[in-house]
Amino acid sequence: MPVPWFLLSLALGRNPVVLSLERVVGPQDTARCSPGLSCHLWDGDVLCLPGSLVSAPGPVLVPTRLQTELVLRCHEETDCDLCVRVVVHLAVHGYWEDPEDEEFRRAADPELEEPRNVSLQAHVVLSFQAYPTAHCVLLEVQVPAALVQPGQSVGSVAFDCFEAALGAEVQIWSYTQPRYQKELNLTQQLPALPWLNVSADGEDVRLVLDVSEEQRFGLSLYWNQVQGPVKPWWHSNLTGPQTITLNHTDLVPCLCIQVWPLEPDSVRTSICPFREDPRAHRNLWRAARLQLLPPRGWRLDAPCSLPAEATLCWQALDGGPCLPLVPPLPRENVTVNKVLEFPLLKGHPNICVQVSTWEKLQLQECLWADSLGPLKDDMLLVETRGPQDNGSLCALEPSGCTPLLSRASTRAARLGEQLLQDVQSGQCLQLWDNDLGALWACPMDKYIHQRWALVWLACLLLVAVVFLLLLVKMNHVKGWLRLLKEDIRAGVAVRSRAALLLYSADDASFERLVGALASALCQLPLRVAVDLWSRRDLSAQGALAWFHAQRRRTLQEGGVVVLLFSPGAVALCREWLQDATSAPRAHGPHDAFAASLSCVLPDFLQGRAPGRYVGAYFDKLLPADAVPALFRSVPVFSLPSQLPDFLGTLQGSAAPRPRRLAERAEQVSRALQPALDSCFRAPGVPGRGRGMGPEAGDRT
């Protein structure tokens, strides 16, 4: 559809260079050559197939440079289309034959005709692409013999012209048929319509379409994926003017906007304004999901392409950092939404996938989380093979790859000879193998059993001696047995249960309240882990790695993860769930609650939370209905009013009698009271920290 001249003048008028655009009259495409050349434009489109490279049989014409110029193709005085003129510069490439062979040929027969005294002809293809259309034309160019000089430019040919929409990104290629060299290419961004404006509205983004009230137009938001087809996200037919607000959590780098008048054969305008927006890149990683697919596949799901690399790593049972297997295994560039396979012979629960950028680790998922069972206490051996079948073995440890037959003071070095025998006798599992090396997983359980056998024997002897001594005084023994029975019933099993306390650090008074609760729970006794007491480990490992290690240890020991809800914690949960009422805030370097949501939310979404998680909140800090419904699949207690039930759930089957439980709840309540009073006197209570009200603006 021809674009009205006043829109073109508005779009182009800000640039003094294009105020006097040349007008091309008529709908027909044309071709013009520089002086001395002759050219012809073939009728109709041609197939856009460059073909394979071929060797030049002698001097040939090849394109050397592309130039573009904006012109107007006008059907009437005021109805014009924006058009791209393409100028192709040509040069002579190649020789008739090797200069020494040519001199020998002339000496043998001086009467031969001068081979360069001939004209050259070339078929030059111009390929033009502007989403969603592509167009190719064929130009026939002839150069007279007088201009044929190898390596010299002979002139240019200009094509009028390729029509394109305002604001479109166009790509142009040029090559010859047959093709003697790599095709030239050029990318250009055309000016956009001024009535489509993208502006910031606080944390949100506002789309302003300033058109007349009678103008009807279509608006489409889509994800322009490099790897795969365009994925529509939202579409609507509207009547102008319009102002549309996008929530900041919906922004991703590949989110594009397309606008067009609702008229036949209308020209569509597309822009992608969020490619460099830091918020869009943060949202993209939050939306990315790393999935492990049996038996050896994995896939990274994301709305846009990600400039990241994937590696395999080895997660030891002791909870240290996951050790990358590079080398010997290579890093791989990530292709989103595509199933990839591990380069392994067999799976192992200690194998994990890491996705990282050049800045930091972004995602990690381990095989043990789904189908291969818990982590094993195995030692990973790396075999390196030389050119003459001479290989070496080393054990992958946090300090590096330790040679088995070395004097290092590590566990692998102490057991080096035994591990080498295990590999040779086939007791180790081969995970990967090629000409350069191999990976072996060797069980370490038997060596632990051997080490502790004598210790257990000594303990049994000591217990027997103590028991014989106690038999001397039966009355004392009876009293001791009675106390022991009560202690076993009420506390011994509890001592062995671990609890991981997760909370959002809303402010200093709330952190003191959490510290008081953790200290009180330790007196029950319970083994409580909370990031307040592990700041050094948090700084060294990072919040995400610290949480993964603590959660794995707690659940493997039969413990429970306590989610302590506050206004800030509820806001973070809603932000991760991309709720329209979420309120953003910057996460601190020690905010384990924010880091843990990437692992906690999948447990609730996939039904794995019951039996592993418990929720709690303080009466006067948060209303009961503020806890998101997703987390009510596990018990949620109000503190301190429901302290007895809360403590009973933490202690599980080893909970004491109701009377004893009530006494312990009273002790915990007294310990919490000073911190509660201080927290309630703090400014901004209730409703301090992150806000929980609805956001302003419409969500598309």
Side-chain angles (χ1 to χ4, degrees):
M1 182 194 76
V3 180
W5 167 247
F6 79 95
L7 287 180
L8 283 174
S9 63
L10 285 175
L12 305 174
R14 298 179 181 178
N15 189 342
V17 178
V18 297
L19 277 174
S20 57
L21 291 183
E22 179 182 343
R23 295 193 178 193
V24 178
V25 180
Q28 298 297 324
D29 296 336
T30 59
R32 294 178 288 104
C33 299
S34 59
L37 305 184
S38 60
C39 55
H40 169 68
L41 174 64
W42 283 39
D43 294 335
D45 285 352
V46 297
L47 292 177
C48 302
L49 298 175
S52 303
L53 283 172
V54 298
S55 300
V60 292
L61 282 179
V62 294
T64 58
R65 186 162 58 94
L66 290 175
Q67 283 184 292
T68 60
E69 179 183 359
L70 295 181
V71 297
L72 298 177
R73 170 170 282 171
C74 298
H75 306 277
E76 297 180 6
E77 181 65 24
T78 59
D79 289 331
C80 301
D81 286 331
L82 187 63
C83 214
V84 180
R85 171 183 291 163
V86 181
V87 180
V88 185
H89 294 265
L90 302 170
V92 178
H93 172 75
Y95 298 88
W96 280 109
E97 56 189 12
D98 187 80
E100 295 181 1
D101 295 340
E102 181 181 349
E103 182 179 353
F104 176 78
R105 180 183 59 84
R106 291 182 182 177
D109 191 355
E111 299 298 327
L112 289 178
E113 179 186 357
E114 170 63 42
R116 294 184 176 85
N117 192 23
V118 293
S119 62
L120 294 181
Q121 180 177 308
H123 291 128
V124 180
V125 177
L126 287 178
S127 176
F128 180 88
Q129 182 174 344
Y131 176 81
T133 61
H135 183 40
C136 288
V137 296
L138 180 63
L139 304 172
E140 183 179 301
V141 184
Q142 190 163 358
V143 181
L147 298 179
V148 177
Q149 294 294 330
Q152 298 296 320
S153 175
V154 297
S156 62
V157 56
F159 170 75
D160 286 334
C161 56
F162 294 112
E163 294 185 7
L166 289 165
E169 182 181 84
V170 300
Q171 294 179 312
I172 304 169
W173 292 269
S174 178
Y175 50 89
T176 59
Q177 287 185 343
R179 188 161 62 95
Y180 301 113
Q181 65 179 18
K182 184 178 179 180
E183 60 267 24
L184 299 179
N185 66 82
L186 177 68
T187 301
Q188 183 176 3
Q189 183 74 43
L190 301 186
L193 288 174
W195 43 266
L196 175 58
N197 183 37
V198 181
S199 61
D201 182 16
E203 288 292 338
D204 297 329
V205 172
R206 179 174 295 175
L207 307 181
V208 180
L209 297 105
D210 188 12
V211 297
S212 63
E213 295 183 359
E214 298 81 12
Q215 176 69 57
R216 298 181 68 249
F217 60 91
L219 176 65
S220 176
L221 302 178
Y222 63 93
W223 291 329
N224 187 21
Q225 297 175 325
V226 176
Q227 301 162 346
V230 170
K231 187 176 181 181
W233 181 51
W234 184 85
H235 167 79
S236 182
N237 294 333
L238 305 170
T239 301
Q242 290 283 342
T243 299
I244 299 172
T245 301
L246 298 179
N247 194 296
H248 73 282
T249 58
D250 296 328
L251 305 183
V252 290
C254 63
L255 180 62
C256 298
I257 307 163
Q258 189 176 82
V259 184
W260 67 95
L262 293 178
E263 299 178 8
D265 300 326
S266 60
V267 176
R268 299 193 176 202
T269 300
S270 297
I271 58 173
C272 303
F274 309 112
R275 291 175 177 171
E276 306 299 330
D277 193 320
R279 297 173 301 176
H281 285 273
R282 289 194 298 268
N283 292 337
L284 178 58
W285 280 111
R286 290 177 181 175
R289 294 294 178 266
L290 182 60
Q291 297 188 33
L292 302 181
L293 307 173
R296 297 193 306 273
W298 65 279
R299 182 180 66 209
L300 181 62
D301 294 327
C304 307
S305 300
L306 286 168
E309 291 182 332
T311 59
L312 295 182
C313 63
W314 178 264
Q315 180 63 63
L317 182 62
D318 59 8
C322 198
L323 305 176
L325 303 181
V326 179
L329 297 180
R331 297 180 183 271
E332 294 186 8
N333 292 327
V334 173
T335 302
V336 299
N337 307 321
K338 180 181 179 181
V339 178
L340 303 174
E341 286 194 357
F342 304 120
L344 297 176
L345 297 176
K346 294 183 180 180
H348 192 281
N350 294 41
I351 294 291
C352 303
V353 181
Q354 289 182 337
V355 176
S356 58
T357 61
W358 65 273
E359 296 175 326
K360 63 177 181 177
L361 172 66
Q362 299 287 356
L363 298 171
Q364 178 175 311
E365 192 71 26
C366 298
L367 299 181
W368 66 268
D370 290 326
S371 59
L372 295 181
L375 292 174
K376 296 182 179 180
D377 189 17
D378 288 1
M379 181 70 68
L380 184 71
L381 304 184
V382 180
E383 179 182 358
T384 304
R385 295 168 182 165
Q388 299 178 352
D389 293 336
N390 54 341
S392 61
L393 278 172
C394 63
L396 192 63
E397 296 183 294
S399 58
C401 205
T402 306
L404 293 187
L405 303 179
S406 68
R407 297 183 179 180
S409 59
T410 64
R411 182 171 69 158
R414 290 193 299 267
L415 301 173
E417 293 184 1
Q418 293 93 320
L419 290 173
L420 187 58
Q421 293 175 1
D422 290 346
V423 173
Q424 295 172 349
S425 61
Q427 299 183 39
C428 298
L429 177 66
Q430 188 177 46
L431 303 180
W432 173 77
D433 182 38
N434 74 354
D435 296 337
L436 300 179
L439 295 177
W440 305 84
C442 298
M444 301 294 290
D445 296 341
K446 61 181 181 180
Y447 301 113
I448 297 177
H449 295 161
Q450 293 173 1
R451 178 184 301 177
W452 289 101
L454 294 176
V455 177
W456 281 112
L457 181 59
C459 290
L460 290 176
L461 291 175
L462 180 61
V463 170
V465 172
V466 172
F467 184 74
L468 290 174
L469 292 175
L470 290 176
L471 287 178
V472 177
K473 296 181 180 181
M474 292 299 297
N475 292 334
H476 294 286
V477 172
K478 290 180 180 179
W480 178 81
L481 289 176
R482 184 170 57 254
L483 293 174
L484 179 62
K485 181 178 179 181
E486 181 181 355
D487 194 39
I488 290 177
R489 191 182 292 171
V492 171
V494 176
R495 287 189 185 97
S496 64
R497 195 168 197 203
L500 174 59
L501 190 60
L502 296 178
Y503 71 100
S504 173
D506 290 8
D507 53 30
S509 61
F510 187 75
E511 285 194 355
R512 287 193 294 271
L513 178 58
V514 173
L517 176 62
S519 300
L521 293 179
C522 288
Q523 303 301 320
L524 291 182
L526 284 172
R527 288 187 292 108
V528 179
V530 63
D531 64 351
L532 276 172
W533 302 339
S534 305
R535 289 292 167 83
R536 180 176 297 178
D537 293 339
L538 276 173
S539 299
Q541 300 177 17
L544 181 61
W546 180 88
F547 167 73
H548 273 288
Q550 296 296 329
R551 172 183 172 274
R552 179 171 57 253
R553 182 181 295 114
T554 300
L555 296 182
Q556 286 179 348
E557 296 175 0
V560 62
V561 179
V562 181
L563 301 178
L564 192 57
F565 291 98
S566 64
V570 170
L572 272 175
C573 294
R574 290 180 175 172
E575 179 183 350
W576 273 83
L577 293 170
Q578 295 190 352
D579 189 275
T581 62
S582 65
R585 91 178 169 96
H587 302 157
H590 306 303
D591 199 342
F593 187 88
S596 68
L597 287 179
S598 64
C599 187
V600 170
L601 288 178
D603 284 346
F604 280 86
L605 293 172
Q606 298 173 14
R608 299 197 301 257
R612 296 181 170 188
Y613 293 82
V614 171
Y617 62 93
F618 292 99
D619 299 329
K620 298 181 181 181
L621 295 184
L622 192 72
D625 58 354
V627 178
L630 175 66
F631 298 94
R632 295 191 177 274
S633 60
V634 301
V636 180
F637 301 97
S638 176
L639 304 181
S641 60
Q642 295 180 338
L643 260 175
D645 294 336
F646 175 66
L647 299 181
T649 301
L650 290 185
Q651 299 177 45
S653 59
R657 300 172 186 174
R659 181 178 177 182
R660 179 65 174 165
L661 191 62
E663 293 176 357
R664 292 183 174 179
E666 182 63 22
Q667 295 174 1
V668 174
S669 180
R670 287 197 300 269
L672 289 179
Q673 197 58 48
L676 281 170
D677 294 340
S678 175
C679 192
F680 295 151
R681 288 195 302 269
V685 176
R688 70 187 186 281
R690 308 178 186 94
M692 293 172 52
E695 295 178 356
D698 301 328
R699 176 187 176 99
T700 59

